[in-house]
Amino acid sequence: MEAQRLATENARSANLAANDLTTRARAAAEVAAAHAPDVDLTGRFPTEAFAEIRKQRLLGILVPQALNGEGASLAELADVCFVLGQACSSAALIFAMHHIKMACIIRHAQGNAALERILRQVVSDQLLLASSTTEGQAGGNVRASEAAVEHEGDEVTLERKATVISYAINADGIVTTARRAADAASSDQVLLVLLKKDYTLERLQSWDTLGMRGTRSEGFTLRARAPAQQLLPQPYEKIHAQTMVPHAHLLWGSVWAGIAAAATAKAQAFVRNALRHSGGQMPPGAAHFTQAASSLRTLRGVLASSLRSYESVMSDEKAMASLEFQSMITMTKVQVSELAATTVLHALRACGLSGYRNDSEFSIGRLLRDVLSAPIMINNDRILANLAMTSAMTPLPTSISG
Ligand SMILES: Cc1cc2nc3c(=O)[nH]c(=O)nc-3n(C[C@H](O)[C@H](O)[C@H](O)COP(=O)(O)OP(=O)(O)OC[C@H]3O[C@@H](n4cnc5c(N)ncnc54)[C@H](O)[C@@H]3O)c2cc1C
């Protein structure tokens, strides 16, 4: 019996090693890229990409091995987002949003049996989880909820006006913020994990946008009844600071870096092609390719440095709560989103009219429309305004490396 278990384990490990994450991510990216133009044109969920993502069993990679997952690191996950981001922005962002919620559950379930069952189910059935934080007219103020959970015996109920839930119709579950109780302050929040059987959705708003059209981020009235055990045991305040914000900023950032890398690759191909056809004469926008490559390098540098900082404090609650860390991880989103948009704009200028056209192999249009969602996905101006007081009070550095 034990020998059989070991043989199965060994076969599984060998199989995983042979199909390493990058290879599996590339297989999913290939399918995603083939369908990205139609996903964008028709504003539909990237069905084919997610069929392949499920085939490659990528939805449960973050789950610890003890719960049958692969225990992938955040850096590995960020690389998968980067690879997918180069292929189909919407599929990549959906993949990132699923994993941000997964990280919150994994890091804050604290041995809760119902939540661990759900994590196992994500691995076995390759469930896709969506996220609901935006509510009513409050927009991206994630740290305030209007609707409250109500306890009825062993269950909780919730009804919220969820003005934006990406891929809600295609998801197998939704992870939502809510006020702890009807008499709690708006910032006293909980995080509730819902499976499809636990809720109904009534459409409030459609999703006809400039870019990220395949995320289908429609608005709904979300009505839920679920076992109270599906509430995360820790307050959302803690989950937000320790897991939600760092994972969101690093994984969204990796997707945007992927979009920027795709645009830069097109610009390079355009410049090389132009060189070949003009007897070595550089096209007029060539300097913009150099600038695209340079800002992409800076963007990857910011992401890599923030990722390393987060990994070094991940298990240190005090360090994660420090103003220094919170400001750094918050500003990562602002910097990375601006750099991604700048990179794509440079790529467009490098490709000139060929980049501006929709019917050219060097077209940058879709990438530009998609990346322009980055600075407004939780508006950078809102983030900067929130940080203004902290920045004013934080001492400035006195050395280069300190
Ligand atoms: C591609 C994409 C995917 C997303 N996916 C999700 C998701 O899955 N789940 C989720 O919860 N959220 C999602 N969001 C929403 C996101 O989290 C933010 O809520 C959203 O970007 C708004 O951010 P903001 O409030 O900072 O910015 P803004 O939109 O710039 O500002 C919003 C503010 O404007 C005001 N306002 C907004 N609308 C009105 C109105 N009609 N009338 C009057 N005032 C108004 C309000 O004061 C509000 O606080 C997504 C956003 C994008 C771009």
Side-chain angles (χ1 to χ4, degrees):
M1 198 67 177
E2 179 61 9
Q4 193 183 0
R5 191 187 64 77
L6 277 177
T8 313
E9 276 291 296
N10 287 343
R12 190 173 160 270
S13 309
N15 196 27
L16 285 179
N19 296 296
D20 71 283
L21 274 181
T22 312
T23 311
R24 289 152 66 198
R26 285 196 184 131
E30 198 178 317
V31 176
H35 296 276
D38 186 61
V39 163
D40 172 62
L41 188 69
T42 57
R44 66 170 177 86
F45 179 78
T47 312
E48 300 83 357
F50 274 85
E52 188 63 26
I53 283 170
R54 286 190 164 103
K55 189 170 152 206
Q56 297 294 336
R57 307 201 64 74
L58 289 170
L59 292 179
I61 54 175
L62 205 55
V63 176
Q65 290 180 351
L67 297 174
N68 298 343
E70 294 178 38
S73 69
L74 178 55
E76 288 172 316
L77 188 57
D79 272 336
V80 178
C81 290
F82 182 62
V83 170
L84 290 175
Q86 292 168 62
C88 171
S89 318
S90 291
L93 192 65
I94 294 169
F95 182 80
M97 290 193 271
H98 162 83
H99 277 99
I100 294 158
K101 292 295 135 166
M102 288 296 289
C104 292
I105 306 171
I106 291 165
R107 281 170 51 83
H108 300 275
Q110 296 194 307
N112 171 312
L115 295 174
E116 290 195 349
R117 237 186 341 268
I118 291 174
L119 291 176
R120 285 178 194 272
Q121 210 183 333
V122 170
V123 177
S124 60
D125 302 351
Q126 292 291 294
L127 302 184
L128 177 65
L129 302 184
S131 163
S132 176
T133 55
T134 306
E135 185 180 21
Q137 297 300 338
N141 184 8
V142 185
R143 283 293 288 111
S145 288
E146 227 172 90
V149 288
E150 287 184 28
H151 286 259
E152 284 182 20
D154 293 343
E155 294 184 325
V156 286
T157 61
L158 174 69
E159 177 170 335
R160 81 192 305 254
K161 296 268 182 265
T163 24
V164 191
I165 312 182
S166 295
Y167 58 97
I169 296 295
N170 299 87
D172 303 297
I174 295 176
V175 183
T176 180
T177 47
R179 207 143 51 92
R180 179 176 298 283
D183 58 356
S186 61
S187 61
D188 185 3
Q189 295 162 290
V190 289
L191 198 62
L192 174 64
V193 183
L194 301 167
L195 295 180
K196 208 155 191 135
K197 63 179 169 47
D198 302 324
Y199 60 84
T200 59
L201 294 169
E202 187 186 330
R203 196 178 270 102
L204 288 173
Q205 203 164 331
S206 59
W207 180 255
D208 183 2
T209 48
L210 191 64
M212 288 295 181
R213 294 171 56 77
T215 62
R216 299 228 34 95
S217 309
E218 297 170 299
F220 300 91
T221 300
L222 168 69
R223 294 188 183 90
R225 174 178 289 275
Q229 268 233 317
Q230 287 174 208
L231 281 168
L232 267 80
Q234 293 190 315
Y236 180 67
E237 181 181 17
K238 201 170 196 172
I239 301 169
H240 183 80
Q242 295 183 0
T243 306
M244 169 86 174
V245 171
H247 277 77
H249 291 188
L250 293 167
L251 296 182
W252 291 348
S254 303
V255 172
W256 301 330
I259 301 171
T264 307
K266 281 201 181 202
Q268 186 177 50
F270 173 81
V271 171
R272 287 180 179 179
N273 192 46
L275 265 178
R276 266 197 305 275
H277 291 94
S278 64
Q281 181 105 18
M282 276 289 178
H288 280 286
F289 165 66
T290 309
Q291 298 216 49
S294 168
S295 66
L296 177 62
R297 196 175 303 116
T298 310
L299 157 50
R300 285 175 49 241
V302 172
L303 264 183
S305 153
S306 298
L307 190 73
R308 271 196 302 275
S309 299
Y310 180 44
E311 285 185 326
S312 71
V313 297
M314 255 175 145
S315 47
D316 181 345
E317 286 202 14
K318 205 163 153 229
M320 274 190 290
S322 71
L323 276 185
E324 171 73 20
F325 174 75
Q326 285 297 323
S327 306
M328 181 282 294
I329 205 72
T330 304
M331 278 307 293
T332 297
K333 190 268 162 177
V334 176
Q335 290 171 304
V336 165
S337 58
E338 303 288 354
L339 281 164
T342 302
T343 306
V344 178
L345 274 171
H346 278 305
L348 171 70
R349 299 277 299 272
C351 296
L353 185 57
S354 295
Y356 194 69
R357 299 179 72 101
N358 284 328
D359 58 357
S360 126
E361 64 179 300
F362 304 110
S363 173
I364 301 287
R366 173 163 53 84
L367 300 172
L368 181 62
R369 287 186 288 103
D370 287 339
V371 86
L372 287 179
S373 70
I376 56 155
M377 190 171 178
I378 313 289
N379 203 316
N380 283 355
D381 296 312
R382 176 197 288 283
I383 294 175
L384 288 168
N386 287 346
L387 267 185
M389 186 58 83
T390 311
S391 307
M393 295 305 152
T394 305
L396 294 173
T398 52
S399 69
I400 296 295
S401 56

